[in-house]
Amino acid sequence: MKTIVLRPDQPFDLDLTLSCGQAFRWERAGGWWQGVADGRAVRIRQDGSLLTFEGADEGFIRDYFRLDQDLPAVLASIDRDPAIGAAIRECRGLRLVRQDPWECLASYLCATNTNIPAVKRRVALMAERYGRAIDGPFSGTYTFPEPEALAGVSRTELWDCKLGYRTDYVCEAARFASEEPGWAKRIAALPFEEARRELMHLRGIGPKAADCVLLFAFGFFEAFPVDVWIRRIVGEIYLPGLTGKGCTPAEYERIRRFSRDHFGEYAGYAQEYLYCARGPARRAGAP
DNA sequence: CCCCAGGTGAATA
DNA sequence: TATTCACATGGG
């Protein structure tokens, strides 16, 4: 069992970070969080400024939870109006984790027109059927399958992971990633808009999924994913002229351009704070 | 039986 | 370019 003592000037809230819906492979178990990240089965809990964990070393935990990112500075930079100010006060300590690009891409391919529990179920099914079993502090854990592993799986088998009409998209993405092992490094080196266009060439990856992958895996903090909740929130608070229902490509552009301009280079953090403060995760029952 | 959920691709005008 | 529609699945 290892520990990290958090610096008092660097807030971190493990519960908010793992329950806000950015990553799909963590579960609460008693006072602990259990999950698989980058092939490690990790168990971790927070008691005030003390983080206790096993299954990974301190370097990995710091890197994954971005504990060395200057969060107060980030939050100060996006704190541009009373609404985001309230969200920041409510969710201070929420950090964007550093996800694996392939797992993140595949996960958000599974996240269209559905809900978070269903996405978790799909990802878990793919992992336990086609991932590698890992020994760790708890049982029944599997790595998320490599692209090669999923590329070798038949459509019928993937369909059985409850992917539905997304099955072909995951197959194609797995083929893409296995044929170009350096894809993630190549995209990470591109300017944001180019990286975005590149991801959107994949079938099943539209603006929303691309922005999620860019934000959660590649650390493009200017990415501002616009899902149904964010559309509502931004529509209510900042852009009261929005048509309301369907998010047309033009509307999506308008919302993300506004948000990037309004919140600045860490707009993605603003997105996550707005989502967390007013989104379903909190209403659905967090304390 | 209807509507909704971290949308997207394809057909249509 | 802008609208419209289907899409698997599960839960309310």
Side-chain angles (χ1 to χ4, degrees), chain A residues 1-2 26 32 35-44 52-58 60-61 134-138:
Chain A
M1 199 73 75
K2 306 175 182 96
W26 291 93
W32 295 80
V36 179
D38 292 317
R40 298 162 177 79
V42 178
R43 221 159 79 93
I44 184 168
T52 308
F53 56 92
E54 56 184 328
D57 59 25
E58 171 173 346
F60 176 80
I61 296 295
I134 26 181
D135 49 341
F138 51 102

Side-chain angles (χ1 to χ4, degrees), chain A residues 66 69-70 73-80 96 192-193 211 214-215 218-225 256-272:
Chain A
R66 297 185 193 275
Q69 182 171 40
D70 188 352
V74 168
L75 299 182
S77 79
I78 62 172
D79 192 359
R80 306 280 178 95
L96 292 178
F192 171 67
E193 294 292 342
D211 285 332
L214 291 167
L215 180 62
F218 287 101
F220 283 100
F221 298 111
E222 67 204 278
F224 193 89
R256 84 175 179 104
R257 298 288 181 191
F258 163 82
S259 303
R260 172 64 180 83
D261 290 343
H262 182 66
F263 296 114
E265 63 177 320
Y266 289 98
Y269 262 93
Q271 190 268 9
E272 208 58 15

Side-chain angles (χ1 to χ4, degrees), chain A residues 18-34:
Chain A
L18 291 181
S19 64
C20 70
Q22 56 177 325
F24 299 109
R25 298 213 63 198
W26 291 93
E27 298 294 339
R28 218 193 290 261
W32 295 80
W33 283 94
Q34 297 182 343

Side-chain angles (χ1 to χ4, degrees), chain A residues 20 22 78 84 87 94 96 108 208 211-212 215-216 221-231 233-234 252 255 259 263 266-279:
Chain A
C20 70
Q22 56 177 325
I78 62 172
I84 187 68
L94 166 62
L96 292 178
Y108 280 93
K208 154 66 168 59
D211 285 332
C212 284
L215 180 62
F216 299 138
F221 298 111
E222 67 204 278
F224 193 89
V226 181
D227 57 44
V228 287
W229 295 99
I230 287 297
R231 183 191 327 154
I233 294 165
V234 173
Y252 193 106
I255 293 171
S259 303
F263 296 114
Y266 289 98
Y269 262 93
Q271 190 268 9
E272 208 58 15
Y273 272 70
L274 289 172
Y275 180 87
C276 183
R278 321 232 344 206

Side-chain angles (χ1 to χ4, degrees), chain A residues 24 26 113-114 127 146 257 264 282 284:
Chain A
F24 299 109
W26 291 93
N113 197 28
T114 185
E146 297 300 314
R257 298 288 181 191
R282 264 189 157 330

Side-chain angles (χ1 to χ4, degrees), chain A residues 101-163:
Chain A
W102 162 243
E103 177 176 336
C104 190
L105 180 73
S107 298
Y108 280 93
L109 269 175
C110 298
T112 62
N113 197 28
T114 185
N115 50 47
I116 291 178
V119 180
K120 285 186 164 184
R121 191 159 46 244
R122 294 178 184 122
V123 174
L125 280 172
M126 284 190 282
E128 73 190 43
R129 293 181 184 179
Y130 307 111
R132 176 177 52 82
I134 26 181
D135 49 341
F138 51 102
S139 59
T141 55
Y142 297 82
T143 61
F144 188 79
E146 297 300 314
E148 294 74 19
L150 284 190
V153 172
S154 72
R155 276 180 175 70
T156 318
E157 290 176 291
L158 262 188
W159 186 274
D160 286 337
C161 294
K162 308 298 181 187
L163 301 195

